[in-house]
Amino acid sequence: MNQKQITIPYHLRSNDKLSDTEQTLVAKAREAAEKAYAPYSGFHVGAAVLLSNGEIVSGSNQENAAYPSGICAERTTLFYANAQYPDASVEALAIIAIHGGEVVPSISPCGACRQVMVEVSYRYNKSYKVILAGKDKSVVLEDNRMLLPFTFSGDDLK
Ligand code: THU
């Protein structure tokens, strides 16, 4: 037996215990969620990133009648942030979802978004904080890479 284990460190914090910056990011993500285009799922997701240049960029999921053509809030936001500010690294990302008028208890990003989130840390050689916000409590991971163990990255292509 040579079983190995991976543990994922995270904090579960009351929203009022988040730092001012974290609360601002969650508020921006929530505003973005309220602008989501999600007529098919009714699942409104918002994301907000803090960049190293101090800018906060937010975005939401954008659905499509041809379902796979839609895109999640995380990728909308990260792609836009990186397109707009290619020289700025990501310092923190907050995500929140609203379903049936209620904030979902801590949204978890899909696999495709986790892969894109990892690519961003690979691109800027810097991991970043992720806040999975719920109504009262949030999951806070100090290192985005923890969300995708056994990552496929640019290193695999060398
Ligand atoms: N969605 C996101 O935007 N982010 C996630 O982390 C999970 C799912 C979107 C995709 C789709 O528009 C809707 O939520 C339902 O899956």
Side-chain angles (χ1 to χ4, degrees), residues 41 43 45 61 63 72-74 107-110:
S41 70
F43 197 77
V45 188
N61 52 332
E63 296 187 347
C72 293
E74 295 88 326
I107 170 85
S108 202
C110 78

Side-chain angles (χ1 to χ4, degrees), residues 8-9 121 126-130 140-147:
I8 301 175
S121 50
K126 192 179 178 309
S127 60
Y128 52 91
K129 181 182 293 195
V130 178
V140 180
L141 296 107
E142 295 300 326
D143 184 340
N144 67 290
R145 296 169 305 178
M146 292 295 126
L147 281 170

Side-chain angles (χ1 to χ4, degrees), residues 33 35-45 60-67 70-71 98-99:
K35 296 182 201 152
Y37 178 63
Y40 304 106
S41 70
F43 197 77
H44 297 241
V45 188
S60 57
N61 52 332
Q62 301 294 314
E63 296 187 347
N64 194 284
Y67 292 175
I71 189 165
I98 302 168
H99 195 210

